[in-house]
Amino acid sequence: MAKADLMDRVVNLCKRRGLVFPSSEIYGGFRSTWDYGPLGVLLKRNVKDAWWRSMVQLRDDVVGLDAAILMAPRVWEASGHLATFSDPLVDCRNCKERFRADHLPESGACPNCGAKDSFTEARQFHLMFKTHVGPVEDEAAVAYLRPETAQGIFVNFLNAQTTTRKKPPFGIAQIGKAFRNEITPGNFIFRTREFEQMELEYFVPPEDGGQWFEYWCQQRLDWYVDLGIPSDRLQLRPHDPDELSHYSAATADVEFDYPWGWGELEGIANRADFDLKQHAEYSGQDLTYFDQEADRRYIPHVIEPSAGADRATLAFLLAAYAEEEVRGERRTVLRLHPRLAPYQVAVLPLSKKDTLTPLAQEVLALLQPRWMCEYDETQSIGRRYRRQDEIGTPYAVTVDFDSIEDGAVTVRDRDSMEQDRVPIDGLVAYLDERLP
Ligand code: GAP
């Protein structure tokens, strides 16, 4: 399939099957934000759960956090965002569209109207959303919607460290919304003004920063591969020195092969002691760590793998989407990792007849406590299989008239399309073996 078609087809599938809808659609949409529908919310939640499982649950050196979106404005002074979190912006004098100066094509032509050399001088455009807290809208009441979740972690470093008694190397992980007034949102859920981040701040002794940076680059690349993205559609790209953010001593991006080319999926940064040092200075609090064994006090250095939940969801969808010909029929299939698929199991009574419903409902009740299940009794069984294929359901369980006699059901595998007859009392064990 041509790369340009892939994006259209995935966007179309997302709309048609209730994964992602344009925001405020009945009012004509609100460009730059998207809503996750009944299936999308399951998929995105599974992406976040898979991240949390790998970063927090399966480790004993990382703890979690859920900090507020609205924070003291001094945080953004200390973090450097107020002074530096801006993008260079140019206007096309011909069509009046705005663009990021660093995203313009080399040809110098306007990406919207094609006019040549029509751009104004670049101006800095601040990316933080401003709001007011309390009843008075004056300068003293200004607050910002956080542009990254990371700062909520830094300002809670002492709280989390002392209450959990963790010693470097240890990390604090957080998943949550972030907001940026992007100049050029686009490419569906790739760049939006409201999005979710999955960030880990990993605190290490200063001399170990380089080694942990390498470690986290590899870990994060492996996470995407383990969840089904082919390794040849991922690459690690170190930043050139002039690309580095104001806080970063070294950064590498995990890049994905999007339909429009290689682009950032996640950034891994060595933030050194920048943030804790800044917050110590601005807050007047001592944010050093005392290493009793070595009898020394230091400001931990920080390695930060920072992923976007929406961007990861998009990459998983793009990598999973396939159209193929099977026995003379075309099918669309989302080969999502079973851990990510919106539903793990579909329960399909062969007919809507009353004789089958009670047993099919019994099978559903048996599986629901373990997996996210869909119950579908409309249309022909072939069509229902296709419907499950295109939303990525790994297993479909068909309850037929023989099931009433033999107490068994047919289980169909999404990828091989092979079918097994499985006794109902062995169904949970059968699926348990195949679903992680
Ligand atoms: N704390 C570091 C930080 O925020 P970043 O590279 O600006 O670093 C990290 O953002 C990740 O957040 C990106 O790799 C991307 O996945 C996601 N992200 C950033 N801006 C985004 C946007 N406007 N829309 C969707 N995802 C975004």
Side-chain angles (χ1 to χ4, degrees), residues 81 85 147-151 154 178-182 185-186 189-199 201 224 239 245 247 251 253-254 258 264-269 271 304-312:
H81 282 83
F85 197 55
E148 61 171 18
T149 62
Q151 297 304 323
F154 295 126
F179 303 83
R180 295 182 191 176
N181 199 3
E182 299 281 2
I189 51 175
F190 176 80
R191 184 175 290 107
T192 51
R193 295 196 172 115
E194 175 180 342
F195 54 96
E196 262 183 294
Q197 288 189 314
M198 309 185 287
E199 299 200 286
E201 307 302 326
Y224 293 101
H239 279 209
S245 310
Y247 51 73
T251 297
D253 285 345
V254 176
Y258 295 98
E264 179 182 342
L265 179 54
E266 162 161 357
I268 297 122
R271 296 178 79 122
E304 175 197 64
S306 171
D310 311 84
R311 234 175 244 193

Side-chain angles (χ1 to χ4, degrees), residues 181-391:
N181 199 3
E182 299 281 2
I183 300 166
T184 43
N187 284 330
F188 192 35
I189 51 175
F190 176 80
R191 184 175 290 107
T192 51
R193 295 196 172 115
E194 175 180 342
F195 54 96
E196 262 183 294
Q197 288 189 314
M198 309 185 287
E199 299 200 286
L200 170 71
E201 307 302 326
Y202 196 73
F203 301 92
V204 303
E207 61 280 9
D208 295 345
Q211 155 201 335
W212 282 108
F213 176 71
E214 299 297 323
Y215 168 87
W216 281 110
C217 284
Q218 194 55 50
Q219 286 285 312
R220 296 305 304 145
L221 203 55
D222 291 349
W223 184 76
Y224 293 101
V225 175
D226 291 347
L227 286 171
I229 299 188
S231 52
D232 62 357
R233 295 192 67 184
L234 293 165
Q235 68 182 18
L236 201 62
R237 187 185 68 80
H239 279 209
D240 293 331
D242 62 346
E243 265 184 282
L244 293 176
S245 310
H246 61 274
Y247 51 73
S248 176
T251 297
D253 285 345
V254 176
E255 292 193 332
F256 177 71
D257 175 22
Y258 295 98
W260 58 91
W262 290 100
E264 179 182 342
L265 179 54
E266 162 161 357
I268 297 122
N270 181 347
R271 296 178 79 122
D273 59 1
F274 177 84
D275 302 272
L276 289 183
K277 222 173 172 171
Q278 289 289 106
H279 287 303
E281 186 187 326
Y282 279 70
S283 68
Q285 303 282 319
D286 179 2
L287 299 182
T288 53
Y289 170 77
F290 181 64
D291 180 345
Q292 268 175 336
E293 270 163 45
D295 191 28
R296 67 163 180 157
R297 186 170 283 285
Y298 62 84
I299 296 184
H301 280 212
V302 173
I303 307 305
E304 175 197 64
S306 171
D310 311 84
R311 234 175 244 193
T313 301
L314 177 60
F316 287 124
L317 278 169
L318 289 166
Y321 186 92
E323 288 177 15
E324 56 187 28
E325 186 102 13
V326 184
R327 294 179 210 117
E329 250 187 80
R330 284 199 74 72
R331 76 163 181 163
T332 297
V333 56
L334 274 188
R335 291 192 204 283
L336 287 169
H337 189 284
R339 201 183 278 292
L340 301 183
Y343 296 113
Q344 282 70 53
V345 190
V347 176
L348 315 173
L350 191 63
S351 114
K352 260 201 262 187
K353 290 221 170 77
D354 288 350
T355 33
L356 279 189
T357 309
L359 184 59
Q361 285 287 333
E362 243 177 68
V363 170
L364 178 68
L366 185 70
L367 303 179
Q368 267 177 329
R370 298 293 304 277
W371 298 287
M372 204 62 214
C373 299
E374 187 176 46
Y375 186 82
D376 185 5
E377 55 179 13
T378 57
Q379 299 187 319
S380 75
I381 193 71
R383 284 187 99 150
R384 280 182 275 162
Y385 284 152
R386 296 285 174 273
R387 284 172 55 80
Q388 294 303 324
D389 287 345
E390 70 172 6
I391 59 170

